[in-house]
Amino acid sequence: MDKETNEARALLYAREETVRPRRTPGSRRRSERPLFGELAVEAGLLPADMLTPALDRQKRWGGSLGKVLVSTGAMSSADVARLYGRQRGVPCVDLRDEPRDPALADPEALDFYLEEDCMPWQMRAGETIYIAGNPDKARTAIATREGRHLPVFVTSQSGLRQTLARDFAATLTDRAVFGLMRQMPESSAALRLTQTQIRILAVCAVFLLAMLPSFATTIVTSINITLGLVFIALSGLRYTSIFVGLTSPPSREEMAYENQGTPQDPELPVYTVMVPLFREARVLPILARALQDIDYPASKLDIKLIFEESDPETLAAAKALKLPDHFEFIVVPDSLPRTKPKACNFALPFARGDYLVIYDAEDSPEPLQLKKAVAAFEEGDKKLACVQAQLNYYNWNENWLTRQFAIEYAAFFDLLLPTMVRLGMPIPLGGTSTHFRTALLREAGAWDPNNVTEDADLGLRLALLGYRCGVIRSTTQEEANCRLPNWVRQRSRWIKGWMQTYLVRMRHPLRLYRAIGFRGFMGFQLLIGGFTLSSLVHPLFYVAAAFAIAKNGTLTDFNHAGLAVFNALVLVSGYSLSIAAGMAAVSARGLFPLLGQTLMMPVYWLLISIAAYKALWQLITNPFHWEKTEHGISSMLESRFSGSDEKLASEGAH
């Protein structure tokens, strides 16, 4: 092996397997390689009195001392790279001062660069020099790929990944936008309706129009009754969730943490946390505080803050927080569609964790949530691809709208989703606090960039592939939408995404039925199809009942009277069952002031119908438009914002 190769032998994050007794630098034998911690003190990068606490933390968490120091903000990734280079006698490359030669990198080798955390840097003396975040790990793989041993220098991992994201932006964007379409075209919402679906709808429409003149009353009555039964069935599912969700035995993974706990910190796997951001500068301090409060070894957290190129303000606000270097910033180039799932797809190749969770900008997850998810995955079988945490709101009592929103979320996440899991039905995942096995997420094609409710779609796609999703008892607090226009934008996007999901999954209904079985298929029809349909048509029951009663000013016509009674019963029974579920959910969560507010659900549902009609219009005219929800507008934000801001400032000063 040549001299240059010998000089390049390096390890960015050299693992110190045991914590050795401290010695002064002068007492070290010449034959020994200098210890990383002692080098850090000698270089003035780490105060001497901080070395022992850092070594103690390394012992508790496991992993290298360098990762511990980076994740606690004691040192930067670039400083760690330089120290390891000095420790091993290896050149260290700072890509800000010595950029790579763009002619050397092969876009088709991007997966190799990402997997091995390396890339070709420059040519010297006719030899290609590679840089790597972990040269000892990458050296053998590089030699295998190139057919010979090459020099491998060290560089900071964060700088390397930023360079890969920037220089291979076109390739990463292409994969983010078109990856699912190429891998599973039948699962992509890029096409609203297939030719088969168009033909079926056309035949049904022609048949209906042909029959209407002769059987108008019969057809209208039949449609009315069918829709009423769907509405009652959906409400019945909600009512059933009271008993199944609250009294039936929970699944094994649901209570795995309480029953089994998790492995010791040194044995915990690396966990990727991804947070897509767009115009979120206002809530960034709260997010940063929440992520730093997570009860998980910081050296094993792989945090990705994902920014849009068209939103430099949020990126600037994040840089101003001076977060530790294990918070990695990924900037997504501006391209269509401008959606959250596309941004997540762009960042996914950089994920290093065995598990991965998505959070929204305003989220404050329970500190133990990641450990609870690990326990669930450890307890579950290999078909458990995802677990969904519960969602609710810190500002639930701010106004009438937030109170109704909190009732809805409690009924959905605390009762309905656990019920569907226990009954063996696939679940539509929420848009946040969804924890995945990273390998299975990639196998499933990740997120559909054209579906504006990406996780609801992904939950069904995982079920179609033979995997399942579970739930865990851990709550993420969010900011409930407290302004009606903002709420309508958010809700119309959600319903439009459910419409997209239903149309995509019903391209092959028999295939779906065989994959998820009778109960799963009926659950899908009721929840995704039934909820969307009832949101659109349930106001018409008021109109139909009023029209039937007002017909000739009497109830002497039996058909009209019977239909009026039926529609009235649909509304009363549907609302009663749903209100009962809402009461049970808020009682179980301890939100007793909301009990009386459940009686206002009929008014709230009319608002949902307004959003549903907007969603239907956008599905036709602008299907991939992402209606941005404004965060940080709650009157209760100031106390949370101020507290988080002060804590971050004090920690930065310290």
Side-chain angles (χ1 to χ4, degrees):
M1 191 177 296
D2 59 34
K3 179 180 178 182
E4 192 170 25
T5 302
N6 287 330
E7 290 179 348
R9 294 184 58 85
L11 176 61
L12 176 56
Y13 292 136
R15 182 181 181 92
E16 293 181 305
E17 297 293 346
T18 59
V19 180
R20 309 182 196 181
R22 291 187 58 199
R23 293 178 299 199
T24 62
S27 67
R28 190 168 49 234
R29 292 193 300 270
R30 293 180 180 273
S31 60
E32 287 184 338
R33 177 178 292 134
L35 295 177
F36 178 82
E38 294 175 353
L39 283 177
V41 173
E42 290 173 3
L45 296 172
L46 184 71
D49 60 352
M50 290 182 62
L51 178 57
T52 298
L55 291 172
D56 290 341
R57 188 175 287 115
Q58 179 202 10
K59 184 177 181 180
R60 293 197 310 272
W61 289 354
S64 71
L65 181 60
K67 286 184 179 179
V68 170
L69 293 171
V70 167
S71 64
T72 56
M75 290 178 58
S76 70
S77 178
D79 287 337
V80 170
R82 283 191 290 270
L83 284 179
Y84 275 113
R86 187 183 306 173
Q87 182 189 45
R88 301 300 180 95
V90 175
C92 178
V93 174
D94 188 334
L95 288 168
R96 294 170 297 182
D97 300 327
E98 301 176 279
R100 73 175 186 88
D101 182 351
L104 295 179
D106 178 7
E108 294 185 1
L110 177 58
D111 289 331
F112 173 78
Y113 302 150
L114 290 168
E115 182 178 355
E116 301 300 335
D117 221 9
C118 70
M119 65 187 306
W121 176 56
Q122 290 183 3
M123 291 280 292
R124 291 186 179 177
E127 195 76 280
T128 301
I129 299 175
Y130 270 76
I131 50 175
N134 189 334
D136 278 0
K137 174 180 176 293
R139 185 171 290 106
T140 300
I142 293 170
T144 301
R145 175 177 173 81
E146 298 287 350
R148 64 190 188 283
H149 288 282
L150 294 174
V152 184
F153 292 174
V154 67
T155 191
S156 78
Q157 288 188 326
S158 60
L160 176 65
R161 293 181 191 122
Q162 288 174 7
T163 300
L164 287 170
R166 182 189 66 240
D167 292 358
F168 292 91
T171 301
L172 291 165
T173 299
D174 179 78
R175 293 182 180 183
V177 175
F178 300 108
L180 179 66
M181 198 182 306
R182 294 179 183 128
Q183 183 179 344
M184 303 175 188
E186 72 284 354
S187 291
S188 172
L191 183 66
R192 277 168 286 188
L193 293 170
T194 65
Q195 290 298 318
T196 300
Q197 288 175 314
I198 292 173
R199 285 193 290 268
I200 291 173
L201 290 174
V203 169
C204 291
V206 169
F207 177 79
L208 187 63
L209 290 173
M211 299 296 290
L212 198 59
S214 302
F215 303 97
T217 301
T218 302
I219 291 173
V220 171
T221 301
S222 299
I223 293 175
N224 190 148
I225 293 174
T226 301
L227 294 176
L229 294 175
V230 170
F231 186 73
I232 292 175
L234 181 59
S235 300
L237 178 62
R238 289 191 174 103
Y239 186 69
T240 301
S241 72
I242 298 175
F243 306 101
V244 178
L246 293 181
T247 63
S248 67
S251 60
R252 290 186 309 165
E253 57 264 14
E254 192 173 341
M255 298 293 294
Y257 180 80
E258 288 77 4
N259 295 333
Q260 306 293 337
T262 57
Q264 296 298 311
D265 283 359
E267 300 171 4
L268 286 171
V270 175
Y271 216 118
T272 295
V273 178
M274 286 175 37
V275 188
L277 302 163
F278 184 58
R279 299 204 303 263
E280 304 289 7
R282 173 70 172 158
V283 296
L284 269 177
I286 297 174
L287 170 68
R289 179 72 262 158
L291 295 180
Q292 290 178 311
D293 282 345
I294 290 176
D295 184 1
Y296 204 86
S299 60
K300 295 184 176 181
L301 286 178
D302 172 38
I303 301 176
K304 314 291 187 189
L305 301 186
I306 310 168
F307 303 88
E308 296 287 344
E309 185 181 45
S310 58
D311 179 28
E313 292 81 7
T314 304
L315 178 60
K319 290 180 177 178
L321 293 176
K322 301 187 183 305
L323 297 168
D325 271 4
H326 73 307
F327 281 76
E328 293 185 9
F329 296 174
I330 297 177
V331 179
V332 181
D334 192 32
S335 66
L336 294 176
R338 295 184 185 91
T339 60
K340 170 184 170 181
K342 185 201 74 176
C344 290
N345 284 344
F346 186 92
L348 181 60
F350 297 93
R352 295 179 286 116
D354 295 332
Y355 304 119
L356 179 149
V357 63
I358 298 291
Y359 288 127
D360 283 341
E362 80 278 19
D363 285 356
S364 295
E366 173 196 349
L368 281 171
Q369 189 171 115
L370 267 58
K371 287 186 175 179
K372 289 187 175 183
V374 170
F377 285 121
E378 293 283 335
E379 182 68 19
D381 56 34
K382 296 301 181 183
K383 292 295 184 180
L384 181 63
C386 174
V387 291
Q388 171 71 60
Q390 300 159 303
L391 305 179
N392 217 285
Y393 299 114
Y394 70 83
N395 62 327
W396 59 271
N397 205 26
E398 183 168 353
N399 58 29
W400 179 84
L401 190 61
T402 63
R403 288 189 280 272
Q404 293 299 315
F405 215 166
I407 293 168
E408 182 185 21
Y409 257 37
F412 186 78
F413 287 99
D414 296 357
L415 296 187
L416 190 56
L417 289 191
T419 293
M420 297 186 72
V421 169
R422 293 170 198 176
L423 294 178
M425 298 177 179
I427 62 173
L429 301 171
T432 178
S433 303
T434 43
H435 300 254
F436 299 94
R437 293 188 194 270
T438 309
L440 297 186
L441 174 63
R442 289 176 169 138
E443 180 186 329
W447 298 274
D448 184 352
N450 297 294
N451 190 312
V452 296
T453 313
E454 71 290 343
D455 281 322
D457 163 74
L458 182 54
L460 273 299
R461 193 179 340 130
L462 287 167
L464 193 64
L465 295 173
Y467 297 110
R468 62 186 183 89
C469 301
V471 293
I472 55 174
R473 294 189 180 181
S474 175
T475 298
T476 295
Q477 297 290 340
E478 297 190 298
E479 177 190 359
N481 227 315
C482 57
R483 298 177 185 172
L484 186 57
N486 200 40
W487 179 91
V488 170
R489 287 195 298 271
Q490 182 185 58
R491 183 51 58 101
S492 64
R493 173 171 58 81
W494 290 356
I495 296 176
K496 180 171 68 173
W498 279 36
M499 291 175 178
Q500 290 177 306
T501 299
Y502 187 81
L503 292 174
V504 167
R505 295 279 69 94
M506 287 303 289
R507 290 171 181 174
H508 304 286
L510 290 179
R511 184 186 305 172
L512 180 66
Y513 179 86
R514 295 190 189 102
I516 64 178
F518 175 77
R519 280 188 298 181
F521 188 78
M522 294 307 298
F524 167 76
Q525 297 297 331
L526 273 181
L527 192 58
I528 303 297
F531 174 81
T532 304
L533 187 61
S534 65
S535 298
L536 291 168
V537 305
H538 98 266
L540 302 180
F541 285 101
Y542 290 102
V543 177
F547 177 79
I549 293 173
K551 184 71 172 179
N552 298 323
T554 69
L555 284 176
T556 55
D557 186 320
F558 176 79
N559 289 331
H560 290 132
L563 199 58
V565 170
F566 174 78
N567 288 332
L569 288 174
V570 165
L571 291 172
V572 171
S573 61
Y575 283 135
S576 298
L577 295 174
S578 298
I579 287 171
M583 287 183 170
V586 297
S587 297
R589 186 161 277 275
L591 303 178
F592 298 108
L594 295 181
L595 283 172
Q597 292 291 320
T598 59
L599 300 177
M600 295 295 293
M601 285 173 63
V603 180
Y604 183 68
W605 282 17
L606 289 175
L607 293 179
I608 293 177
S609 293
I610 294 173
Y613 278 102
K614 180 182 179 182
L616 181 61
W617 174 251
Q618 283 200 346
L619 181 68
I620 298 169
T621 61
N622 200 3
F624 313 125
H625 174 61
W626 186 276
E627 291 259 57
K628 167 62 181 170
T629 303
E630 295 297 328
H631 299 130
I633 59 177
S634 169
S635 61
M636 297 182 178
L637 180 71
E638 287 300 324
S639 58
R640 296 170 64 85
F641 177 83
S642 299
S644 299
D645 204 22
E646 290 169 4
K647 286 181 181 178
L648 286 173
S650 65
E651 288 183 1
H654 177 70

